Amino acid sequence: MRFQGLPAADKENTRIMIAYFENGKVDIDRIAFIWRVSFNKENVTSIEELYDGSEPNLKK
């Protein structure tokens, strides 16, 4: 699995974390999950799941 962290445009101290499935090569078409992670200097304060690609055919 490969991870990418991007700053969230709407909030300070928040990052958007994107994880991609890998099977020997990076496949950017297969996103495992997208999380919005908020933090302060010492701790993660919240994790919000924006997308779960582990079960792409299962609707929530």
Side-chain angles (χ1 to χ4, degrees), residues 2-57:
R2 184 175 68 90
F3 294 88
Q4 181 179 18
L6 305 167
D10 59 342
K11 291 185 180 179
E12 199 173 304
N13 294 332
T14 302
R15 296 197 55 89
I16 303 298
M17 303 300 295
I18 304 171
Y20 299 93
F21 289 110
E22 273 189 299
N23 57 353
K25 63 176 185 158
V26 175
D27 184 359
I28 61 171
D29 295 328
R30 298 255 353 252
I31 295 175
F33 61 80
I34 302 173
W35 291 347
R36 180 191 318 262
V37 180
S38 300
F39 55 91
N40 59 30
K41 289 183 180 181
E42 298 174 3
N43 298 308
V44 171
T45 56
S46 71
I47 299 174
E48 177 187 355
E49 181 182 83
L50 302 177
Y51 175 77
D52 179 4
S54 62
E55 293 290 339
N57 297 321

